[in-house]
Amino acid sequence: MSSADASVLTEVGMFLGSLAARDLAARSRQGLSHDAASWAVRKRELTESSSARWAGSVTKATHDQWALTRRGHMAEMEWLRGQITRIEARLARPLGAKAEKRAGAVRGYATRSEWHAKSRRLRVLQNRLTALQTEWAAGRVQCRLSAGPGCVAQR
């Protein structure tokens, strides 16, 4: 591939990436109120800057990305709930308490400093869960793992 071809492909990629980022932000703002009519509006808006074929591909891809992120949020919320339950069970036990398998009791934390660190960790996890539940209820998505140019759904 020539340097001119590479330059053209870079420009096209940046252009389509900007369309996708803009559409993902629009899709995220729609939240749970998304329907076929709003999808058509987004596609028409993108068609002004590109072809109908590209606009259709971009809106389909960003809708799929939104749905994938929602599934990821659900999985993260389930994980957070499990972690919170586990830490709460151990915090409720006395320091140094042995596990009682027959009674279904977990062991307690070994030291006061470990207990304190885990109680702080519990608050962090609870706050994270609350924020995710708020986003989930509103139908918003945010990119958490990437700070890349496509990560604009939080705007």
Side-chain angles (χ1 to χ4, degrees):
M1 178 169 34
S2 71
S3 62
D5 290 343
S7 176
V8 168
L9 287 175
T10 300
E11 287 293 321
V12 169
M14 290 176 60
F15 174 70
L16 291 175
S18 70
L19 291 179
R22 185 173 55 187
D23 188 57
L24 181 58
R27 173 63 188 94
S28 183
R29 280 191 300 272
Q30 290 174 346
L32 300 175
S33 64
H34 177 72
D35 59 6
S38 63
W39 191 323
V41 168
R42 286 186 10 247
K43 184 178 174 186
R44 271 194 300 279
E45 289 172 357
L46 288 179
T47 303
E48 294 172 2
S49 303
S50 66
S51 69
R53 179 172 289 175
W54 279 116
S57 294
V58 167
T59 55
K60 169 82 169 86
T62 55
H63 180 75
D64 291 347
Q65 185 176 359
W66 179 86
L68 178 63
T69 305
R70 290 278 290 176
R71 289 191 300 276
H73 279 187
M74 178 57 73
E76 185 177 358
M77 286 189 298
E78 289 172 7
W79 180 83
L80 286 168
R81 287 184 190 110
Q83 294 296 307
I84 289 168
T85 300
R86 214 166 284 124
I87 292 173
E88 285 175 338
R90 289 192 68 189
L91 287 173
R93 300 279 290 155
L95 289 177
K98 303 279 187 204
E100 298 171 8
K101 292 184 180 180
R102 290 183 189 209
V106 297
R107 68 184 174 95
Y109 287 110
T111 64
R112 183 77 182 149
S113 63
E114 185 182 15
W115 186 95
H116 179 71
K118 292 300 181 173
S119 67
R120 291 181 59 153
R121 175 71 176 152
L122 176 63
R123 299 296 170 252
V124 168
L125 294 175
Q126 288 170 332
N127 290 340
R128 207 161 116 197
L129 179 59
T130 300
L132 269 176
Q133 288 171 330
T134 301
E135 289 175 10
W136 179 264
R140 290 191 309 262
V141 299
Q142 291 189 9
C143 302
R144 296 195 188 307
L145 301 178
S146 168
C151 194
V152 295
Q154 65 256 14
R155 291 185 187 160

